[in-house]
Structure formats: structure tokens, C-alpha cells
Amino acid sequence: MDRFDIRGGTRLAGRLTVKGSKNAALPLLAAALLTDGPVVLRDVPDLADIRGMFKLLTELGCKVDYTPAESADAAGGVVRIQVTDPTISHARYEIVRTMRASICTLGPMLAKRGSARISLPGGCAIGERPVDLHLRGLSALGADITLDSGDITARTPKANGKAGRLRGARIFLGGPFGSTVLGTANVMCAAVLAEGTTVIECAACEPEIVDLADMLTKMGANIAGAGSPRVTIQGVARLNGVDHRVIPDRIEAGTYMCAALMTNGDITLDNCPADALMAHIDRLQHAGAKFTVDEQMDPMRTLCRVQGAGTRGIQPIEVTTQPHPGFPTDLQAQLLASLTLADGNSVITERIFTERFLHVAELTRMGASIFRQGPTVIVSGVRRLVGAPVMASDLRASACLVLAGLAAEGTTIVNRVYHLDRGYERMEDRLRSLGAQIERVNDKEEVGVPAAQGVG
Ligand code: EPU
């Protein structure tokens, strides 16, 4: 099991290309099940979760060929997917349990193959993660859904004794915490092949949904309003193959922005989706970071320079996580790490996954002063963090601990970085290229640790 050994205290400086987005790529890969034609995706990052989705698609009758990027600084590799056996429709627990995003195959498989059986994903380190909204949406399209032995089985309505098509409907996808990103992806993928018109109200507005709609439109789907809370879809009988470039990863970019603030560094990000990071950039500016964004470029693929707060130091701020375009939950832990060194008290409220604070106890071990009550934490800035052995518990919490280690005095050991490898490609190499003193160490001593759990 790998760990990172980090000697903190170096100002990070240099240039990085933001990789393709994990959370955009996962539903795009699943959407390949919607067509008999070949699907080519570019800028696909080489990550454990992406490899997990390749494995699942292979089990579901696809031929998957991945060519990793030739240079370490490219945005990602190229994958080509071709369905060869459309008769399989069972995503087994062995795969689903290692990768929660397996649920994104439900909508495409149901719409194209007439039935889908997927193990119900369990809870994970960041909370309960129900899928009731996904199922409500698919039922509204006419799917017959049953739960049996831990599996969800969904079937399209029968027509002349055979599996027929789903039927368009008006669907409300809001839940107690707002909309659902992967639920919107699932319903959208099912509705593109349904008969008639579907209107999704309270659809997720995340950029990953816009990217999915862009790809489906290139495949021949008829979708209006993606990126807004109301998405309208006119169903079509079939979709074609496609060649599509995945959007850059806003969470990876946002994490390196926090690294610049935290180490008082100077990092330039190429292929930076600044347009998708407005809330994060706003909060970091209030905390003292300086941004220079090239306004002439595509706002989703811009050149963005981030500098630390200089002698003024990091300023305390308030932040609440919200659905897009609000501040993303996937950057809460990283921002929290940065605010441990602010000059005063910051307040962070988590409104998407209210239990997503496993990093708090570990940061406290490094000298951070954090008080939590329910979904809110008060972070009282301290003068310094001190390196310590810490345990990563989920993907973004791991990134938060790496950031803390980069700014801490002495050595920080971040254990179990397999969580990090789910969502950050070769993070240690990228940080080293910016001047960080960080090594990946294979810790053979550690035995008897449970298998990785799907979180993203
Ligand atoms: N929710 C329900 N019912 C549902 C679905 C969701 O109540 O049927 C609740 C959730 O419990 C949560 C909220 O709605 O409180 C939002 O969850 P959502 O469904 O949007 O999350 P997701 O689609 O499963 C994706 C990302 C997460 C990211 C969330 C929120 C992927 C693969 N995962 O998950 O990414 O935190 O959206 O933006 O896209 C990560 O990358 O670290 C990660 C966890």
C-alpha cells in the first residue's frame, strides 16, 4: 500500500496542464452503451476509477482500448469503445462496490438494452449516498424497477411481448440536498432514447452534465437547456458513434489553486476551466490569492495564473457548499486545509454531504484548530502546521492532507494514498514538478487493510 512522505515548507511555482475531468468522463464512458457505433473519448485521465469503468464496460460487452497520454503533461489519453455483445445487462457487486459511479450505467443500459441489473451501491466514507432520485426518474419514464438481493433491476415497458421503449415524462429530480448529478446523467441518458418528450425539472447544472449533453447531442440526441435547472429532451430512435474531448477537471484545477494559496506560491494552470470555478476563485480571492486569467481564451480551457497572498497572509472567509454554480463540496476539504493557516476565524458549512468532515480530525493532529458542530466548522487560523503521520479516508480528504503536508513544518506521512489515486493522476510527480518535496513510498509493512471503497 502506497503512502506519501512530504517535507513541507516549499513555495510551489511552475506550470501544469489540467487533466481531463474524472467526473465528466465516468458518465460519458457509460453513455457509450447507448450506441452501436464506436465512441472515442479524448483527454481521459489515467485514474483508478476510470480503469474501473473500463473494466465494467468490458464486462457489459464492450471492447475498450485505452492509449494513455504520451507526455506526462498532456491532459489525458484516448479511449475507443465499441459494443460487441449487447445482450449482457448485469453490473455485478464485485465491481460496483469498488466504484460507486458504476450506477451511471443504469440509464444507458436500460434505454438501449431494455433491461439493466445493477448492485445497489452502499454508503461510503462521505455519507449515505442514496439513489432514490435516480430510480424515481427512471420509473417516471415507465421503467419497472424492483430491488432484489441487493440488486436494482429495471425493465422498459413491454410492447408486443418484447422490451419496448421508455416514454417521455415530466420529472422533478430535487431531493433534500438539491438535485443529483449522476441521477440527472442517468435520466438524461435514458430519456434520449425514449419515445416523446422528457422535461427534467431541478436538473443538476454541473458542467459535467453540460459535457454529457454536448456529447449526446453530437451522437444525434435532441437536448435543450443542459446547464440550467430545466432540461428538455426529445427522444430519438437511435444514436450514432462520436469523437469527443472531455472537459478539464475543475476539482483538480481547484486543488492546485489551493496549493498556490497555501504555500504562498505561483502556479500557472493550462487547460483551466475557470468558467466552472467562479465560486472557488471568488472565495480564494477573498482569502488573498491573486488570479490572472487569459480572457481571450475559451473560458473552459483558459490559462490561469494563481499567486499566494504574499506578506498579507491568508485571510479568513466564510463558505457554504452548494450545487453548481455554488461552491463545490468536492473542494471543501482542500479549502479548509488552506484556511487552517488564515489570520483569523473562518466558517465552513457543508450542505451537500453533511458528514464530509473526516479530514478534520487528521488536520487537528497537525496542529490545526477546528471546531465542528453538525454541518458547520469554525477554523481558527494557526501560525503553523506541524508534520505528522495522517490517514487518508476518502479522495478529497486525501488531497486536503497532502496540501496540509506541503505547508507544514517537518515531515508529513499521508497513508493509504490509493484514495487519492482514484481522482488525481500522479499527484506526487505533478507537485514535484512545482518544487514540492514529496515521495511515493510503497509501505509493505501494512497488512490486513480492507479493500478500497468507491467514493467519487
Ligand atoms: N441524493 C439523494 N438521492 C439520490 C441522489 C443523491 O438524496 O438519489 C443526495 C446525496 O446524498 C447528496 C446530494 O443529493 O446529499 C447530491 O448528490 P449527487 O447525487 O449529486 O452526487 P453524485 O452524483 O453521486 C457526484 C460526484 C461527487 C460529487 C457530487 C456532488 C461523480 C462520479 N461524483 O456524485 O464527486 O461530490 O456529485 O457534486 O460525479 C468526488 O469526486 O470526490 C465526488 C464525491
Side-chain angles (χ1 to χ4, degrees):
M1 192 155 309
D2 290 359
R3 61 164 209 252
F4 282 172
D5 289 1
I6 307 167
R7 269 201 81 75
T10 313
R11 285 186 65 194
L12 300 191
R15 188 164 168 154
L16 284 182
T17 301
V18 179
K19 300 281 176 192
S21 161
K22 163 183 87 83
N23 287 351
L26 290 167
L28 296 179
L29 287 164
L33 293 167
L34 285 166
T35 173
D36 300 325
V39 170
V40 177
L41 287 174
R42 299 176 191 276
D43 288 0
V44 178
D46 195 354
L47 297 170
D49 270 15
I50 297 288
R51 297 255 176 196
M53 184 57 93
F54 293 166
K55 193 168 160 207
L56 176 56
L57 290 177
T58 307
E59 279 226 352
L60 295 175
C62 299
K63 187 169 181 304
V64 180
D65 294 307
Y66 182 57
T67 313
E70 273 173 20
S71 111
D73 205 36
V78 179
V79 63
R80 188 173 195 283
I81 304 158
Q82 173 71 61
V83 173
T84 50
D85 180 358
T87 60
I88 310 162
S89 56
H90 185 191
R92 291 180 306 122
Y93 179 63
E94 285 64 38
I95 296 200
V96 175
R97 107 189 143 81
T98 61
M99 192 192 44
R100 222 189 154 276
S102 310
I103 191 74
C104 347
T105 56
L106 180 61
M109 209 156 41
L110 170 68
K112 184 74 167 76
R113 301 184 178 182
S115 74
R117 186 167 151 216
I118 297 193
S119 269
L120 192 60
C124 70
I126 65 175
E128 267 184 36
R129 317 279 309 263
V131 291
D132 55 308
L133 297 171
H134 301 232
L135 303 186
R136 191 207 290 174
L138 296 175
S139 303
L141 293 174
D144 174 28
I145 296 180
T146 50
L147 285 178
D148 183 29
S149 314
D151 285 352
I152 305 164
T153 303
R155 287 193 182 80
T156 55
K158 286 244 178 333
N160 304 324
K162 291 195 301 194
R165 284 171 72 187
L166 296 168
R167 293 183 304 265
R170 180 175 282 263
I171 301 165
F172 182 76
L173 268 193
F177 303 98
S179 190
T180 159
V181 180
L182 293 183
T184 301
N186 253 331
V187 173
M188 204 185 227
C189 283
V192 288
L193 288 182
E195 233 172 313
T197 306
T198 298
V199 179
I200 308 176
E201 298 283 5
C202 200
C205 303
E206 270 66 8
E208 293 76 22
I209 294 297
V210 178
D211 201 29
L212 176 62
D214 284 349
M215 182 175 105
L216 292 171
T217 303
K218 282 192 234 164
M219 293 166 81
N222 194 338
I223 304 173
S228 81
R230 177 183 290 170
V231 179
T232 305
I233 302 159
Q234 305 283 348
V236 295
R238 56 185 298 277
L239 295 175
N240 309 313
V242 69
D243 189 327
H244 182 78
R245 184 177 175 203
V246 182
I247 54 168
D249 195 317
R250 61 192 170 108
I251 308 302
E252 192 202 33
T255 302
Y256 289 114
M257 289 174 179
C258 287
L261 177 65
M262 234 187 142
T263 66
N264 197 18
D266 186 346
I267 300 176
T268 297
L269 297 171
D270 225 326
N271 198 37
C272 177
D275 204 43
L277 279 164
M278 296 310 282
H280 187 58
I281 291 175
D282 174 74
R283 291 296 78 200
L284 289 182
Q285 279 173 329
H286 276 83
K290 292 180 224 40
F291 281 82
T292 317
V293 180
D294 188 332
E295 304 289 349
Q296 306 303 314
M297 300 174 77
D298 173 350
M300 280 298 283
R301 297 186 185 276
T302 192
L303 193 67
C304 175
R305 181 177 179 194
V306 196
Q307 292 166 282
T311 51
R312 188 164 166 253
I314 301 174
Q315 297 303 302
I317 53 168
E318 287 176 20
V319 58
T320 301
T321 65
Q322 287 170 331
H324 192 76
F327 186 89
T329 172
D330 292 344
L331 284 168
Q332 176 257 107
Q334 301 89 316
L335 184 64
L336 196 159
S338 314
L339 295 174
T340 59
L341 292 173
D343 187 13
N345 297 335
S346 299
V347 183
I348 299 186
T349 302
E350 172 58 65
R351 290 222 186 280
I352 309 294
F353 295 111
T354 50
E355 296 299 317
R356 197 177 197 175
F357 285 117
L358 288 169
H359 40 290
V360 164
E362 299 300 299
L363 287 174
T364 306
R365 301 186 63 248
M366 298 177 71
S369 172
I370 305 169
F371 171 76
R372 177 180 168 203
Q373 192 160 49
T376 298
V377 294
I378 297 172
V379 187
S380 304
V382 292
R383 285 193 177 280
R384 59 189 194 123
L385 294 174
V386 182
V390 286
M391 184 75 83
S393 51
D394 77 68
L395 166 55
R396 308 304 171 187
S398 312
C400 147
L401 297 175
V402 171
L403 293 176
L406 292 169
E409 286 176 9
T411 302
T412 297
I413 297 173
V414 181
N415 290 296
R416 299 194 184 181
V417 292
Y418 61 79
H419 289 295
L420 198 88
D421 294 334
R422 307 172 64 88
Y424 294 89
E425 190 177 323
R426 304 305 300 184
M427 190 186 217
E428 72 282 20
D429 293 344
R430 284 157 77 68
L431 288 170
R432 239 192 338 268
S433 78
L434 299 171
Q437 295 182 59
I438 177 169
E439 295 296 335
R440 179 184 288 261
V441 178
N442 183 260
D443 191 345
K444 294 201 179 71
E445 303 290 274
E446 224 176 340
V447 287
V449 178
Q453 259 244 311
V455 172

